[in-house]
Amino acid sequence: MELRRRKPKQLLNPASGFLKGYSHTLNPYAGCAFGCKYCYVREMPIALFRGENWGQWVDVKEEAAILLDKELNKAKQKGPVTIFMSSSTDPYQPLEYRERITRSLLEVMIENKPDFLFVQTRSPLVMRDIDLFQYMGDRVRVSMTIETDREDIRKIFTPSAPPIAARLRALKYIRQQNVPAQATIAPVLPCTDYFAEMLSGIVDRVCLDDYFMGDGRNGKRTERMGIRSIYQQLGLEDWYSPEAYLNVLQQLKGHFAEDQIFISQQGFLP
């Protein structure tokens, strides 16, 4: 892992495209140690122009809390501030155990609250900051990525990410602490027929997304990364299609009310 320390000139970036429902995106780090094989960020400038393999480098943004406090004050003068954290990294990747950049940013937001904060992660480390989320009340939602209930599939697509069971335990704990949360099946990966039933015992809100709706280019980014070949090698070609998510959607409808199921962009909006 190549680690660099940088002092960013800007933390709050204007949201656009898929995240246009937000005023800003916020990334505590650049790069991501989880390096999931399907991650669309591989096809974005931050990765393409780096010249290093995605998942093999991370930049720590030093003095980020000081900068965020200043930027929040300026942003609030222009209107409501809604933040998506994070759009191109995981705010709770392994380095956060030591660096605590994400926690420092949350501490700023406790004193200077945005109108809404959406936290997207796949790491159980998010439980550490439950005290700060509780201070934010209904101004925050924690979204835990759980693409499948099959650990064998998880190991193929996201070998460096936390195990599914650990994520489920974290999500259950977050809900027990009365923090708004959702399970995010994004992208939907091959799963069992019991996936939805398992989730229904943990959360009351689910977001379902796939490559074709969620990679920002109607699946073209994912196609360029060669993800289709993984499905072919596994003999699971049927799961790599714009219709595949409908199988999981049908499952969800058997265990969740209609207003508890959100499709693609709907599930990420403030």
Side-chain angles (χ1 to χ4, degrees):
M1 178 65 62
E2 185 71 28
L3 173 64
R4 295 184 179 92
R5 298 182 181 277
R6 302 182 185 275
K7 291 183 180 180
K9 295 181 179 179
Q10 184 175 356
L11 275 176
L12 289 179
N13 291 292
S16 60
F18 191 82
L19 298 175
K20 63 184 179 182
Y22 288 85
S23 65
H24 299 86
T25 60
L26 173 60
N27 292 282
Y29 301 88
C32 185
F34 289 146
C36 302
K37 292 181 179 179
Y38 56 69
C39 183
Y40 64 85
V41 182
R42 294 172 184 269
E43 288 293 313
M44 296 177 67
I46 189 174
L48 290 174
F49 300 151
R50 182 72 177 223
E52 299 174 76
N53 292 329
W54 183 250
Q56 295 300 311
W57 60 272
V58 177
D59 291 349
V60 177
K61 298 183 180 181
E62 294 192 319
E63 299 182 11
I66 297 172
L67 180 57
L68 178 62
D69 191 39
K70 295 177 181 178
E71 291 187 345
L72 265 177
N73 287 325
K74 290 183 179 179
K76 284 187 170 184
Q77 293 173 11
K78 299 178 181 179
V81 176
T82 53
I83 300 173
F84 188 97
M85 185 173 77
S86 299
S87 58
S88 61
T89 190
D90 193 308
Y92 288 99
Q93 61 182 296
L95 273 173
E96 173 62 17
Y97 281 97
R98 182 184 72 202
E99 300 295 337
R100 298 172 72 88
I101 303 297
T102 297
R103 184 167 178 90
S104 73
L105 298 177
L106 290 172
E107 288 171 343
V108 169
M109 287 186 268
I110 293 302
E111 300 299 325
N112 195 0
K113 291 185 177 65
D115 292 272
F116 184 75
L117 171 67
F118 190 98
V119 179
Q120 182 66 54
T121 186
R122 65 185 65 237
S123 172
L125 178 57
V126 70
M127 291 188 293
R128 180 201 63 190
D129 294 337
I130 200 74
D131 58 327
L132 303 183
F133 297 138
Q134 288 174 329
Y135 274 117
M136 299 188 76
D138 61 1
R139 293 192 182 199
V140 67
R141 176 172 295 122
V142 176
S143 176
M144 179 67 73
T145 299
I146 304 176
E147 320 95 308
T148 178
D149 60 340
R150 289 180 54 178
E151 186 65 6
D152 61 324
I153 293 294
R154 195 277 303 171
K155 290 179 179 178
I156 292 170
F157 286 90
T158 65
S160 298
I164 298 298
R167 299 187 218 176
L168 291 170
R169 286 194 295 270
L171 191 55
K172 184 175 183 179
Y173 174 75
I174 292 166
R175 288 294 297 119
Q176 289 174 339
Q177 300 303 313
N178 296 315
V179 172
Q182 71 178 24
T184 301
I185 309 171
V188 58
L189 295 180
C191 62
T192 73
D193 293 336
Y194 308 102
F195 190 19
E197 181 180 2
M198 178 188 64
L199 291 176
S200 68
I202 299 174
V203 291
D204 57 8
R205 178 186 168 105
V206 180
C207 174
L208 182 61
D209 202 4
D210 68 2
Y211 306 121
F212 307 94
M213 294 183 287
D215 81 351
R217 292 291 185 272
N218 299 317
K220 293 180 181 178
R221 279 177 174 157
T222 307
E223 191 68 37
R224 287 198 298 267
M225 292 188 293
I227 299 301
R228 182 189 296 272
S229 65
I230 299 178
Y231 287 82
Q232 292 172 338
Q233 293 167 15
L234 296 172
L236 295 170
E237 295 94 329
D238 289 347
W239 281 94
Y240 190 86
S241 77
E243 293 76 37
Y245 86 96
L246 295 174
N247 296 325
V248 181
L249 177 59
Q250 198 59 39
Q251 267 198 54
L252 292 172
K253 288 182 176 179
H255 297 278
F256 291 87
E258 185 174 342
D259 62 357
Q260 295 176 320
I261 303 171
F262 297 82
I263 305 299
S264 192
Q265 189 181 38
Q266 291 180 326
F268 298 98
L269 293 175

